[in-house]
Amino acid sequence: MADAGRPAPQRRDARRNREALVAAAADVFAELGLDAPLDVIARRAGVGNATLYRNFPTRGDLLGEVFRSAAAVLVEAGDEALAVEDAWTAIEGYFTRIFDLVDANPGFNDLVTMAIPSVPVLAEMSRRNAETVGTLVARAQEQGTMRRDVVPMDLLFLLGPLCRAVPAASGLRPGLWRRYLALLLDGFRTPAAHPLPEPPIGDDRLDQLFADLWEAGEEG
């Protein structure tokens, strides 16, 4: 008679398959981006497509599971930044933490530069990130270290493309992206202020831009 306290073999196999799929997806997303073919992930995990879809009916379900811990790290980084008294130091530290994550795992690149509203974990992360940046920008402007004619979306709009360039920059020389992050952020300092020729875009337009990037990747 089977021990009632032990999982049935089928249950152990199902758990093992799920763990294999998550691990394989993390590797494949890092290599090919978030629009990587799901059948590649299934093959890498050593299971069939039916097993993949039984565990994760949609790509969004799989993305949410793979990046749940990464999203938690980014939320933690935001909380730590908000606890720093000097806003400019907090801004530098926050974006350096994000870029470090992308440098260590290119799969995080799409995660932090694309809006994926269909994945609750990632949508919440995006919302928290925007709130954190907004608070830090307001504090820096109050403290006189950030020019007053910029808005949070200006940082996000410019830092997104730079973030996507991190893997290529690190391929040329490890840590090279730090130079360009510093140069970009310096442009937001008060001493660098000069009249800007165009008004900023609104939050809704930036969200649409990132959503379009995601949809284009899905279609490709």
Side-chain angles (χ1 to χ4, degrees):
M1 182 175 179
D3 187 341
R6 293 182 179 176
Q10 295 89 339
R11 195 169 301 173
R12 287 198 299 269
D13 289 344
R15 184 170 60 250
R16 192 179 306 116
N17 287 340
R18 185 179 179 87
E19 291 171 352
L21 282 166
V22 173
D27 290 341
V28 172
F29 287 147
E31 295 169 12
L32 305 178
L34 301 192
D35 58 346
L38 296 182
D39 58 344
V40 172
I41 294 172
R43 287 199 302 271
R44 186 79 62 90
V47 303
N49 286 353
T51 298
L52 186 153
Y53 287 111
R54 184 164 56 249
N55 282 274
F56 303 103
T58 70
R59 180 184 296 271
D61 293 329
L62 182 56
L63 286 170
E65 185 65 24
V66 169
F67 291 111
R68 191 177 303 278
S69 60
V73 170
L74 292 179
V75 169
E76 176 186 329
D79 290 341
E80 291 177 356
L82 292 173
V84 176
E85 183 175 351
D86 181 76
W88 190 265
T89 298
I91 289 171
E92 290 181 323
Y94 180 60
F95 284 109
T96 296
R97 181 89 176 269
I98 292 175
F99 280 44
D100 269 329
L101 282 173
V102 172
D103 195 15
N105 186 338
F108 293 160
N109 212 323
D110 287 348
L111 176 67
V112 298
T113 57
M114 288 185 179
I116 311 177
S118 61
V119 184
V121 170
L122 306 187
E124 174 63 12
M125 186 208 72
S126 180
R127 184 190 68 79
R128 290 283 296 272
N129 175 59
E131 285 187 355
T132 296
V133 173
T135 299
L136 293 176
V137 166
R139 287 182 184 176
Q141 289 173 333
E142 290 172 2
Q143 293 173 7
T145 53
M146 177 172 285
R147 52 191 300 167
R148 290 186 171 275
D149 57 349
V150 301
V151 298
M153 288 305 109
D154 290 326
L155 270 74
L156 296 174
F157 186 89
L158 290 174
L159 286 165
L162 178 57
C163 189
R164 295 194 69 81
V166 165
S170 292
L172 294 173
R173 187 173 74 234
L176 179 61
W177 58 265
R178 296 177 186 277
R179 172 184 177 86
Y180 298 103
L181 176 60
L183 282 170
L184 192 153
L185 289 178
D186 274 353
F188 290 95
R189 289 181 183 271
T190 300
H194 63 276
L196 296 173
E198 292 288 337
I201 61 171
D203 297 19
D204 58 329
R205 300 296 298 277
L206 188 66
D207 285 346
Q208 184 59 51
L209 172 66
F210 287 159
D212 289 345
L213 284 173
W214 167 247
E215 291 173 2
E218 285 277 80
E219 293 173 358

